Amino acid sequence: MSAKSGKIRTQTREKAKVLRDRIDRPVVVTGMMGAGKSRIGRLLAQALGLTFIDTDSEVESAAGCTVADIFERFGEKTFREAESRAMRRALESGPCVIATGGGTLMNAGLADLVADKAFSLWLRAEPDLILARTAEQGTRPLLRADDPGAVLRDLIAQRTPVYARADAIVDVHDAPVEKTLHDVVEALHDFFFKA
Ligand code: S3P
């Protein structure tokens, strides 16, 4: 670990400690696939001492198979119904950190419910970064297409107005994860201490 990233980690931990008692609702981490929602969400939950809920993992545990298997065997509609149920349940959990799937907030009623009940944060990443990360991982059924770049651009266009309703936006670059975590904690701090 470099001296700089060590300093960022210490600052982040200190700020997270102060924040912990202020957080009175679920913190929802949203954004496109590959933006780092699950990774950052888990680290954020650890830093805050809150429970972490990942809607994709909830769906997978309930179904006993992967998201890709659900798409393949039962279709996207079945997956969307399952993720809606998982998200609605997660939002009843009180203060916690929830990482959504990239399409979760597009399900009927969920963006309004999040605006009403949660603090939401959009991890915003450039299409090239998303494409590079998802191509490397190869696990996203929606991108198993002849032209994944075109699919991605289309999804980004549909989803941006919904993501943009977030209470805070953090730009994700190809940078160490502690830098993004630091920016996320700063954004939460600004929000929960602004009043
Ligand atoms: C999806 C994103 C995935 C997963 C599913 C559909 C989407 O989650 O829910 O493959 O519609 O963008 P991640 O955003 O965690 O990759």
Side-chain angles (χ1 to χ4, degrees), residues 61-74:
S61 307
C65 60
T66 65
V67 168
D69 285 339
I70 300 172
F71 267 76
E72 202 175 304
R73 287 161 56 188
F74 307 107

Side-chain angles (χ1 to χ4, degrees), residues 80-178:
R80 295 301 175 196
E81 287 164 1
E83 79 168 343
S84 278
R85 284 194 297 276
M87 186 65 188
R88 284 176 188 276
R89 245 191 339 264
L91 286 168
E92 297 300 325
S93 307
C96 64
V97 177
I98 304 170
T100 69
T104 308
L105 297 191
M106 303 304 287
N107 290 300
L110 282 186
D112 286 342
L113 198 60
V114 166
D116 193 36
K117 291 198 162 226
F119 166 85
S120 59
L121 182 120
W122 174 18
L123 285 185
R124 181 170 61 185
E126 289 295 328
D128 284 352
L129 181 62
I130 296 170
L131 204 55
R133 286 185 178 176
T134 50
E136 195 180 298
Q137 295 159 355
T139 52
R140 305 318 198 282
L142 289 178
L143 298 183
R144 289 179 186 160
D146 290 340
D147 186 351
V151 173
L152 203 59
R153 279 190 294 279
D154 196 37
L155 289 175
I156 291 172
Q158 289 168 34
R159 294 175 179 180
T160 293
V162 176
Y163 294 153
R165 292 179 63 186
D167 296 302
I169 301 173
V170 167
D171 283 311
V172 178
H173 305 284
D174 200 8
V177 71
E178 58 263 27

Side-chain angles (χ1 to χ4, degrees), residues 12-31:
T12 305
R13 257 201 318 269
E14 293 305 316
K15 278 227 160 134
K17 260 191 224 157
V18 179
L19 257 172
R20 190 169 307 180
D21 295 334
R22 284 269 174 150
I23 295 184
D24 55 355
R25 67 198 94 162
V27 172
V28 172
V29 182
T30 188

